[in-house]
Amino acid sequence: MMKDEGPYVIEWVAHHLAVGFTDFVIYTNDCTDGTDKMLTRMQELGLVQHRNNAIPEGMKPQPSALKYAQVEPEVAASDWLLVFDADEFLCLRHGDGRIDTLISDIKATGANGMVITWRIFGSGGVHEWSTDPVTEQYLMAAPQMWNKGWGVKTLFQFDPDKWKLGIHRPKLKNKVLDTEFPDSVRWLNGSGREMEEYFKFRGWRSIVRTVGYDWAQMNHYAIKSIDAYAIRRLRGNVNNKADKYNADYWSLQDRNEVHDDTMLRYKPERDRIIAALLSDPVLAELHDAALTRTEETLARIRDTEAYRDLVVSLKAASQVPITQVSAAPPKPRDKAKIASLMSDVEKRASGKRRAEKVKSPEARTLPPTDLYVRGSVDVSADVPLDWVQNHSVRLPMDPRIFTPAALTAIEVGKFQRNLARNVPGLVPKGGTFVDYGGACGFLAFHLAQTRPDAQVTLHEPVAGFRVAQALIAQENEITELDNFTLAGAENEKLGAILRKDAPAVLAIGGSVSIDEVLRSLEDLPEEARPGAIIFHGRALVEETGALSDAEARFFALGYNRRLPLDVTMGVGFAREDDV
């Protein structure tokens, strides 16, 4: 669905041809900048199918277009289908970046769809209007684990007899609900993992359990530059929302916390296609006319007080920390209402899944809390952040580092509260505490400040987390303490660290397997082994199964006492005589 996308429509079509889409049906309404004429010309060239979205009174543009698309022969002929807008560009990390490769690998898992989560891209500080490609200008994005930007779009095998099209995901038609068809629906998330059962029937956004970006993400360029945003304020929007494009919307969409240039993989092919499109003199003339109209509009508004006021308000909105961004949240969950709306089919499917979980012993064990983002950690961008006191340490409300669950705990000052209360008492007077792979460094920082008699060393092999540790240490003036060492550990093995630092208490936060921990302990003389070992953070989440299997090996090494820790936060073993 498009309206007044003249400056961008060539890039949008070229990009998705580069991704590998074969057929486009594009609906426009009320265009004033020639977007509709450009698309009509592209239809004449055999590139797209352009349709007029004649909107019935009382209906919004997107539902109107989807109603037409539901009975459109070109849409019905699709085998796989994706509904999206002109400010959304599909970005595939998977394989060679082509849609046919993605679909083949989805099908290879036995699935027939993928739920692709938005990734919000901000202005990157760009003020001036530019004709450079959108996907090259804007390379700063929201952190992957920032859940306010988790709307989805769904790529799926389409059958108009069974599915009703929707903006974010299709809806099963009533006539197939009580058939075997819902059981055949199997969708993956953006990381190639199976989606939860409920999403067949309802929902339009990812949640912590279902979000994933390893295979695919939908890059959402809702604002672009300040000038582009100013122009957008002068026209309607695809859903006719009153005063949508205000400063609050800007602060929501102007997220520039993380650099993401994955999209540049498409540049050579996209540029080749753009050149081919613009070799058509008619299309090139229409494109140039759209750019000229944009520049004329900017020239007209730049000297106005309204434009100057808007610039001031947007620049102020850009300084709002990500944790203070106001967004109209989804309505609070009404369990009774949801239950009343659930079809019998969904209730049966959900009940079957719950019954399977009850039968599983693992399902009755509380899972560890996932505190840290997956993949690479990049905190190099200088962005405004809130800092909150957690026990003795000020921590940043930074979704580039922490998951939503961790941010919730930080906000109320309870990050790793159980460990913060118990671990200081495990270190003997004058003893040494070593945290290997401590991620944000919280435990080590807390120990250094609350136990000045103890020697505390923090090792972290992951470069991104080392940068984060340095920032947090600076904020808390930790590096000024005589009993603290912030050590790099990129190439230093755990065994060498144990022999060098001789910790009384060893904390393992990540970056090492349980098997390597055990081998390192076995290589030490018994008297040189730490008195206690604690697994927390990433290690606890990633090694939970291996940790349970290895308990007998810890006992054989003399660690015959389990520490009384909250199992969602940490698992610890101690030698009876030492702690």
Side-chain angles (χ1 to χ4, degrees), residues 123-140:
S123 70
V126 178
H127 182 155
E128 303 290 331
W129 161 260
S130 170
T131 59
D132 291 341
V134 169
T135 52
E136 287 184 39
Q137 284 194 75
Y138 309 107
L139 300 177
M140 300 302 292

Side-chain angles (χ1 to χ4, degrees), residues 77-94:
S78 300
D79 47 4
W80 286 65
L81 181 145
L82 181 65
V83 174
F84 55 151
D85 300 328
D87 61 0
E88 298 170 341
F89 287 69
L90 183 64
C91 180
L92 304 182
R93 289 192 172 87
H94 183 69

Side-chain angles (χ1 to χ4, degrees), residues 495 498-500 502-503 517-531 533 556-559 575 578:
L498 292 179
R499 288 189 294 272
K500 180 182 65 176
V517 173
L518 284 161
R519 289 199 310 270
S520 299
L521 293 171
E522 289 165 349
D523 288 342
L524 292 173
E526 184 175 355
E527 65 274 10
R529 293 170 187 160
I533 301 169
L557 288 171
Y559 295 96
R575 299 197 299 188
D578 290 341

Side-chain angles (χ1 to χ4, degrees), residues 27 43 69 90 96 101 167 191 214 240 252 266 280 308 310 330 332 336 344 396 429 432 449 481 493 514 522 564:
Y27 292 83
Q43 177 168 321
L90 183 64
D96 59 2
T101 303
I167 295 169
S191 288
D214 294 341
N240 290 341
L252 172 68
Y266 297 106
D280 175 70
R308 290 190 291 271
L310 178 63
D344 289 339
K429 186 173 179 60
T432 300
Q449 296 193 101
L481 300 178
K493 297 295 184 182
I514 299 296
E522 289 165 349

